[in-house]
Amino acid sequence: MGLAGADSAQAVDEYRSSATDGLPHCAPPMPAYIDAVEQRLLDDPLLLGDIAEAVGGPFHVLFPERVAVNVGAFQSAFTEGGVDGLVYFGKKANKAACVVRACAESGAGVDVASTGELVAALAQGVRGEDLMVTGPAKSDDLLWLAARHGALIAIDAVDELDRLAALGPPARIVLRVLPEGSTSRFGLDRRELEQAIRAVTSSGPISLSGFSFHLSGYDATARAEQATALVDHCLRARSEGHPADIISIGGGFGVDYLDADSWSRFRETLSDNWFHGGAPAEDYYPYHFPSPGADMLSAVLAHNGLAKRLRDNDIRLAVEPGRALLDRAGSSVFRVQGVKTRTAQGHPYDILTVDGTSLSLSEQWFASEYLPDPVLWPQRPGATTPTCVGATTCLESDLLSRRRIPLPRRAHVGDLLIYPNTAGYQMDSNESPFHELPLPPKVVLRERADRLRWTLDTTSR
Ligand SMILES: *Cc1c(COP(=O)(O)O)cnc(C)c1O
């Protein structure tokens, strides 16, 4: 792991226990795990400052080589589990072209839910047959385009299937199942599922390839049990002459942002006193996730002999991870534009204004807060300073970090704040040009033999 400003495990421990002693109005430190390439970027005395100057505003950095590593981990989990697997990147989690390109290069498909996403995936070399098209009540245009390109279409409703049939072209589909007892608005309930299976004639242009689901939450057991139910659906559909040899268990593979100690300290000592304007009402993401990403897939495969059941029945298992394929694959960089000092409970703290908005750090928009600490750059000696981070808009509530973060020194105008591990949903799912501020461009960083090289993502040129 990387922790800026500390160069040994012991120093990390000392920092953690001492950083906020005597600062009851300050949250405990929550340093994020980061990729080695990002550590190199933070350690470089010049590069971040050079990029910031060239770009002239907030920006996101992406590390596509990390996406390839994450895809490889899912593929290895399939190989080790002895299961024929398919990985589809849940594209809504990040819009960068370099992410989709990395998927195409490493043999992953892409899960899209709009014509824009479909076209963007094709443009980066993902073949139509490697696309999964999900989403509720898809437009006729999207259904037609998906069928033309041989994509696998996840049917969410009976009338959607009727519309696809009326469009005419041959199509490969899976039926998205509403799990028993779920109140989700997505998927087909038991009666609709029977209706849909009957509507697909085994000799017609629409081919029933299998079944899918996508659960909220991050529970491996729930996914394994639902997958077992889908295997049974496949066997029944096969007996009626359908190919039915794929099941997709959707996304929701967890990401491990923080170590266990930081996370448990935060949760056990959580106090309203740490926050500018009070703590968020909603739940937090489980920022420490002991069995994340591909490990979670291994746990799913190992549960109740699922892997063997898939093997014995020649069924391919598809996954649609969004967040997990982006783990440690990007960060968001803001420049400090102003510093004020205020007091809370009689103790001083700084409130920064940075040159971007919380639209580029989405967790605030879900009434929650992004907890991995930003890194203050450049690294210089100083005294721990409780610091909130406000945005450059006229909204009172627009803060990137409401909690007072124990920055290792006071921030000054011109310093950079790097929010780590933001590629999954944080950086761009809510971005809009509010206040006519330009959207932060995406910078692509790659490790080359001599040094780190950067370029603009094709979505930012
Ligand atoms: C959002 C979504 C995903 C990706 O979810 P993650 O939690 O990012 O893994 C996959 N499949 C479907 C159908 C989705 O809606």
Side-chain angles (χ1 to χ4, degrees), residues 90-105:
K91 189 173 187 323
K92 70 173 183 284
N94 196 291
K95 299 185 183 81
C98 67
V99 170
V100 173
R101 173 65 66 100
C103 290
E105 288 171 353

Side-chain angles (χ1 to χ4, degrees), residues 121-285:
L122 291 175
Q124 292 306 317
V126 180
R127 291 166 302 200
E129 69 206 52
D130 297 327
L131 291 172
M132 167 91 83
V133 183
T134 59
K138 292 171 273 299
S139 71
D140 283 2
D141 278 350
L142 178 56
L143 290 171
W144 190 78
L145 204 57
R148 290 286 295 169
H149 284 282
L152 191 55
I153 304 171
I155 293 292
D156 191 62
V158 176
D159 58 0
E160 185 183 54
L161 181 59
D162 295 341
R163 281 193 293 117
L164 176 63
L167 290 169
R172 293 192 301 137
I173 64 163
V174 293
L175 297 175
R176 178 160 170 180
V177 175
L178 174 70
E180 291 291 327
S182 166
T183 55
S184 167
R185 72 185 174 96
F186 303 114
L188 301 144
D189 68 17
R190 194 193 298 215
R191 190 181 50 82
E192 291 163 339
L193 198 61
E194 292 309 322
Q195 230 180 315
I197 294 170
R198 260 184 280 122
V200 184
T201 38
S202 53
S203 56
I206 294 181
S207 159
L208 178 55
S209 295
F211 298 85
S212 73
F213 65 84
H214 172 70
L215 302 180
S216 53
Y218 310 96
D219 184 33
T221 304
R223 284 172 173 75
E225 283 168 4
Q226 195 56 38
T228 305
L230 261 52
V231 171
D232 294 340
H233 286 314
C234 282
L235 299 183
R236 226 170 311 129
R238 271 190 207 172
S239 71
E240 292 165 29
H242 299 289
D245 57 358
I246 295 178
I247 64 173
S248 177
I249 64 170
F253 295 86
V255 164
D256 192 29
Y257 291 88
L258 305 168
D259 65 279
D261 287 351
S262 301
W263 179 231
S264 62
R265 177 170 319 165
F266 177 85
R267 296 211 304 172
E268 284 157 20
T269 59
L270 178 59
S271 160
D272 248 4
N273 292 344
W274 299 345
F275 292 83
H276 181 89
E282 291 298 314
D283 277 351
Y284 296 92
Y285 183 85

